[in-house]
Amino acid sequence: MVKSKKGKMFEGIQNYINGIEKTNFFRAFGLSLLVTVLSVAVLLLCTSMCAWYIVRVKSVISSVMFYGFVFSMIVPFQMVMFTLSKIANMLKLTTPLGLVLDSDYQTIPIAIQYLKGGHGSVDMGAMMATLVLSIIPIVIFYMICQKHIIEGVVAGAVKG
């Protein structure tokens, strides 16, 4: 049992009340809810229109857009994270609106792929090509670093 200087236990509802007051919990919860609702609304509106255009309008522009979104799914978010946060700081987007744009940026390509299947037929060739292209770098990395990976696994398994 842990006791405070006054001899009382560190448990009870008052600790929760203090935590909620000190962290401004309800304001943070409200902002999180606002960002989530706005992100989903903007995402659905923009991506459904874009997916409809890509499916219905057969042109060079729609093909370039589609393959641009496919390529952006291959690039890991960690590769663009620093640049994205730097640009957000430069444009003063460190606000709830900036969070909406950031979260939508990350999910737009996936949502367009999903909604494209709903507006037309699913392009299995493009999906398989995306899958293969996303797996190839991982396999190459593993083949190059296999010796070090196995040594690390074995070293971590040795006890004592």
Side-chain angles (χ1 to χ4, degrees):
M1 265 190 218
V2 179
K3 294 191 177 194
S4 67
K5 294 178 183 177
K6 297 179 182 177
K8 294 183 180 179
M9 296 291 297
F10 284 119
E11 58 185 50
I13 193 74
Q14 189 58 40
N15 287 325
Y16 293 101
I17 293 170
N18 290 341
I20 288 171
E21 289 172 351
K22 289 179 181 177
T23 60
N24 208 356
F25 177 79
F26 291 112
R27 181 176 186 278
F29 180 79
L31 284 174
S32 294
L33 186 64
L34 176 72
V35 167
T36 302
V37 169
L38 284 176
S39 291
V40 170
V42 169
L43 184 72
L44 283 175
L45 180 68
C46 294
T47 58
S48 63
M49 289 189 295
C50 185
W52 182 90
Y53 181 82
I54 289 172
V55 168
R56 302 287 184 223
V57 179
K58 300 296 182 194
S59 68
V60 174
I61 294 172
S62 64
S63 293
V64 168
M65 286 173 50
F66 173 70
Y67 288 110
F69 289 123
V70 169
F71 177 73
S72 69
M73 289 191 313
I74 295 170
V75 178
F77 176 69
Q78 291 79 358
M79 290 182 68
V80 295
M81 187 170 47
F82 177 75
T83 308
L84 185 63
S85 62
K86 180 102 172 150
I87 291 172
N89 286 336
M90 288 174 21
L91 297 175
K92 307 285 191 250
L93 290 176
T94 54
T95 62
L97 174 64
L99 287 174
V100 168
L101 296 175
D102 180 46
S103 66
D104 282 349
Y105 163 78
Q106 298 171 38
T107 53
I108 282 173
I110 298 166
I112 287 175
Q113 285 292 324
Y114 184 76
L115 291 171
K116 183 180 178 286
H119 288 300
S121 62
V122 176
D123 188 355
M124 291 302 288
M127 289 178 66
M128 291 305 290
T130 303
L131 180 64
V132 169
L133 287 173
S134 63
I135 291 174
I136 288 173
I138 297 167
V139 171
I140 292 171
F141 175 78
Y142 182 78
M143 290 169 62
I144 291 170
C145 299
Q146 181 179 7
K147 177 183 173 188
H148 302 291
I149 292 171
I150 298 298
E151 285 177 4
V153 169
V154 171
V158 175
K159 294 186 178 185

